[in-house]
Amino acid sequence: MCGVVGTLIFDSGNDRVDAGLLERMRDTMTHRGPDGAGIWISNDGKVGLGHRRLSIIDLSTTATQPMSNEDDSLWVSFNGEIYNHADIRRELEQTGRHRWKTDHSDTEVILHAFEEWGIDCLQRFRGMFAFALWDTRRRELWLVRDRIGVKPLYYSLHHGKINFSSEIKGLLEDPDQERAVNEEALFHYLSFLTTPSPQTLFSGIRKLAGGTWLRIRASGEMEERRYWDALTHAQPLTGISDEEIAERVLAELRIAVNLRKVSDVPVGVFLSGGIDSSTNTALFSEGEGGPVKTFSIGYRGQYQSYENELNYARQMAGEVGAEYHETLLDVDDLINFLPEMIRLQDEPIADPVCVPVYYVSKLARDNGVVVCQVGEGADELFWGYPQWKTALMLQKMDDLPVPRFAKRMALAVLRGLGQQGSFRYEWLRRGAAGLPIFWGGAEAFTETQKQQLLSPRLRKQFAGRTSWEAVAPIRKRFDENARDPSTLNWMTYVDLNMRLPELLLMRVDKMSMGVSLEARVPFLDHKFVELAMGIPQSAKTRNGTLKHILKKAVRGLIPDELIDRKKQGFGVPVYEWFFDKLGVYARKELDFFCSHTDYLDREQVFRLLDSGNGPQAWYLLNLALWWKQHVYR
């Protein structure tokens, strides 16, 4: 796991890459790669690559980056892991056409795979990655993000060049980079707690979407293409018993976990005590010579909105004889961490779980672990959220042959009752408009609430618009490619394309890399995702049981008590903390934000704070702190 940065100056310009600037851009990400650093600049000064290294596979100096192939015709700066690199290397060696510099570097495999198969080499890679590759012969720069979007990659076009980086802070080091708010992205942020790709909250800075590559020729000509989609590779598992599906799920997950054990440094597991992390722990422990190291987080005190799960984590650790580590947090830990959280986020990731993810990552790093497996993705693939059950029911009701005018009448009744700000009204409004009920697994504010929160200027600017604009391209791909266009497949698909890569995986990447820890995600192995996307809705939702198939697959692997207990997500007691010091802190920061900007309506913001809605207040606080640190001058 590393940090990637670079610049391509287009042929029409006379400038050359500034080595000093490139190094400063690179070193904003020292936390991503404390083990080494390098830069390479082409002879004509038009291309520069930088790299910060966190040594995971092949710790030798021959594996440093930027790295070239044997004749220096290809150069790469790479962040991530290619888990099946050894198999690909053996295939390449059999051709007799490649000379190797390293013993077993996965970075070098990328170079020779590109030599052999061109950009189609991506179809062979099983891993998480974001990389920049410069082809000196064709004078083309390739920017690539892995299929699911586990690793981020940002870029910006200005002043006759393109800059790119694993983190936005690298791009901001360029004095020519504008620091301004992307108001359209702000509009969508208020819906989704994050900004959907390709936008960021910075005007002029974009992020590459998962499963896509961007080719930039030296002339400045650009082409972007999606090279993978979960729907086009899914094989419907119709006519197959639940027992056989469960067997396939466990077999494929076991492969995914084993692949993610590949490392030349110590590896551990984040353990919450839920099904996902407990399954990771059990599978990881198989075949290990010693106890696996597990890491858990909890809170001091008791809270109604979030109950500690540490007793379940301890139970699972005991089942496999793990070396168990835990730490407890309180509101002071959260407040003290906020400035660093905003710095690491680069743009708002308005999920308070960023806080415990950072502290559990630090706990692992402090105990000598450099790589950890995490459980993201299982809920989205296997119908694991209670609110998804509600959304599925609502969509079935909306699909009934009810005339659209009747829905509009129901909307009028709710308006008369003053309910137009509720999610009930929002869902009915979507149905009346012929749109899906479900727009994503994390929604901050309804469209009505957003219009109330926006300043009069932005209220006028976005009148008549909704954040369906950000979802519509995803829906178009779904309608074109889904062999099984079920409601549940849609719900999984939209979260695979938005919430997971831009919120959940982004929080894991930014917070874990903040302490130089690599996080790996077995449930989002692309082969496992393709298998899960082929499971019929009826099998996943059998008897109304959340995670029916996954529970069936892992029963006997982990204790029944962990499988059958009530679902509880990984959370933070922000509701209670907003009645404590966090509320005082938020009022001060939001007052400053509203006094110095023209984005939100101050009266509505403080009405929200007075209502005691801690989670929604957190979304606005995240925005205010981001603006103050990155935009305010």
Side-chain angles (χ1 to χ4, degrees), residues 25 79 84 168 254 358 394 406 474 530 626:
M25 293 169 65
N79 169 31
N84 63 334
I168 291 174
R254 182 171 273 118
Y358 173 85
L394 289 171
I474 302 173
E530 291 168 4
W626 165 80

Side-chain angles (χ1 to χ4, degrees), residues 85-96:
H85 66 94
D87 293 337
I88 299 172
R89 180 184 280 245
R90 280 191 290 271
E91 183 180 359
L92 290 165
E93 286 173 342
Q94 289 172 2
T95 69

Side-chain angles (χ1 to χ4, degrees), residues 397-455:
M397 293 173 59
D398 186 69
D399 290 340
L400 294 173
V402 177
R404 194 165 291 182
F405 78 83
K407 296 178 182 178
R408 289 196 288 266
M409 288 177 62
L411 281 173
V413 171
L414 288 176
R415 279 196 299 270
L417 295 173
Q419 294 291 308
Q420 60 265 43
S422 68
F423 273 99
R424 181 191 311 174
Y425 180 90
E426 173 63 21
W427 291 328
L428 186 58
R429 185 196 64 77
R430 293 173 188 178
L435 300 174
I437 298 295
F438 189 85
W439 290 10
E443 294 193 63
F445 299 98
T446 68
E447 296 299 328
T448 301
Q449 288 172 335
K450 280 165 54 178
Q451 289 293 335
Q452 292 171 342
L453 278 170
L454 291 173
S455 67

Side-chain angles (χ1 to χ4, degrees), residues 33-84:
D35 298 332
I39 64 167
W40 168 80
I41 297 176
S42 62
N43 291 333
D44 64 1
K46 294 295 185 180
V47 186
L49 301 178
H51 189 262
R52 293 288 329 187
R53 187 184 186 195
L54 177 62
S55 301
I56 304 290
I57 292 176
D58 195 338
L59 309 185
S60 69
T61 56
T62 58
T64 57
Q65 300 183 50
M67 184 186 291
S68 67
N69 61 345
E70 62 267 45
D71 63 1
D72 292 344
S73 61
L74 300 174
W75 285 86
V76 71
S77 184
F78 162 56
N79 169 31
E81 307 292 349
I82 309 297
Y83 301 120
N84 63 334

Side-chain angles (χ1 to χ4, degrees), residues 517-553:
L517 181 91
E518 175 176 293
R520 298 178 175 179
V521 198
F523 282 102
L524 292 177
D525 178 277
H526 78 277
K527 291 292 185 184
F528 187 74
V529 170
E530 291 168 4
L531 173 68
M533 289 298 290
I535 301 172
Q537 175 175 307
S538 58
K540 288 185 181 179
T541 62
R542 191 83 67 208
N543 302 320
T545 302
L546 295 174
K547 285 186 178 170
H548 163 71
I549 284 292
L550 184 60
K551 289 176 178 178
K552 194 174 190 66

Side-chain angles (χ1 to χ4, degrees), residues 60-348:
S60 69
T61 56
T62 58
T64 57
Q65 300 183 50
M67 184 186 291
S68 67
N69 61 345
E70 62 267 45
D71 63 1
D72 292 344
S73 61
L74 300 174
W75 285 86
V76 71
S77 184
F78 162 56
N79 169 31
E81 307 292 349
I82 309 297
Y83 301 120
N84 63 334
H85 66 94
D87 293 337
I88 299 172
R89 180 184 280 245
R90 280 191 290 271
E91 183 180 359
L92 290 165
E93 286 173 342
Q94 289 172 2
T95 69
R97 291 192 288 269
H98 302 276
R99 298 198 310 274
W100 302 85
K101 302 177 181 179
T102 69
D103 290 333
H104 60 283
S105 165
D106 55 345
T107 306
E108 191 173 18
V109 166
I110 294 174
L111 289 163
H112 290 290
F114 188 89
E115 270 189 312
E116 188 70 25
W117 301 297
I119 198 61
D120 288 341
C121 67
L122 298 175
Q123 303 302 331
R124 285 174 159 80
F125 296 165
R126 194 164 182 173
M128 56 179 183
F129 47 85
F131 65 82
L133 187 148
W134 173 248
D135 185 334
T136 63
R137 292 195 178 110
R138 293 182 175 84
R139 293 184 56 74
E140 293 176 339
L141 173 69
W142 295 85
L143 301 181
V144 181
R145 192 175 179 192
D146 65 67
R147 294 172 180 84
I148 305 297
V150 181
K151 306 317 304 173
L153 190 57
Y154 303 91
Y155 64 95
S156 179
L157 291 157
H158 60 87
H159 295 82
K161 63 184 176 184
I162 181 170
N163 289 337
F164 52 89
S165 177
S166 295
E167 296 189 358
I168 291 174
K169 60 179 63 67
L171 304 178
L172 295 178
E173 195 65 24
D174 186 341
D176 292 330
Q177 177 64 54
E178 180 185 23
R179 289 183 183 236
V181 176
N182 180 339
E183 294 180 349
E184 182 176 321
L186 170 60
F187 180 71
H188 295 318
Y189 165 83
L190 292 175
S191 284
F192 303 119
L193 290 71
T194 186
T195 51
S197 62
Q199 294 183 326
T200 74
L201 211 50
F202 288 93
S203 178
I205 296 179
R206 296 165 69 85
K207 53 192 167 193
L208 197 61
T212 64
W213 53 251
L214 179 65
R215 178 173 62 183
I216 310 102
R217 294 194 165 95
S219 63
E221 179 187 348
M222 300 174 63
E223 177 187 7
E224 184 172 342
R225 187 175 301 178
R226 180 169 296 275
Y227 67 85
W228 180 86
D229 191 286
L231 293 173
T232 57
H233 291 81
Q235 296 296 322
L237 299 178
T238 52
I240 300 175
S241 68
D242 288 5
E243 288 74 17
E244 184 177 344
I245 293 174
E247 288 174 4
R248 292 192 190 185
V249 165
L250 184 58
E252 196 65 56
L253 185 57
R254 182 171 273 118
I255 292 171
V257 170
N258 283 332
L259 283 170
R260 281 155 185 79
K261 292 166 72 171
V262 174
S263 174
D264 294 332
V265 295
V267 182
V269 181
F270 287 177
L271 177 59
S272 70
I275 293 174
D276 313 335
S277 65
S278 296
T279 298
N280 271 349
T281 301
L283 291 176
F284 189 94
S285 298
E286 293 178 346
E288 287 296 290
V292 59
K293 291 185 176 183
T294 66
F295 304 94
S296 304
I297 203 94
Y299 301 98
R300 299 181 187 94
Q302 297 296 319
Y303 301 98
Q304 185 176 353
S305 68
Y306 183 82
E307 296 181 12
N308 278 327
E309 299 180 279
L310 292 177
N311 56 321
Y312 297 109
R314 296 184 195 114
Q315 178 184 350
M316 188 62 219
E319 287 284 332
V320 299
E323 181 184 316
Y324 175 80
H325 302 268
E326 70 175 43
T327 191
L328 299 176
L329 307 178
D330 59 25
V331 66
D332 289 326
D333 294 311
L334 181 147
I335 291 175
N336 292 337
F337 173 59
L338 284 178
E340 177 67 0
M341 183 191 80
I342 299 301
R343 187 186 77 84
L344 292 174
Q345 284 181 347
D346 280 342
E347 63 169 337

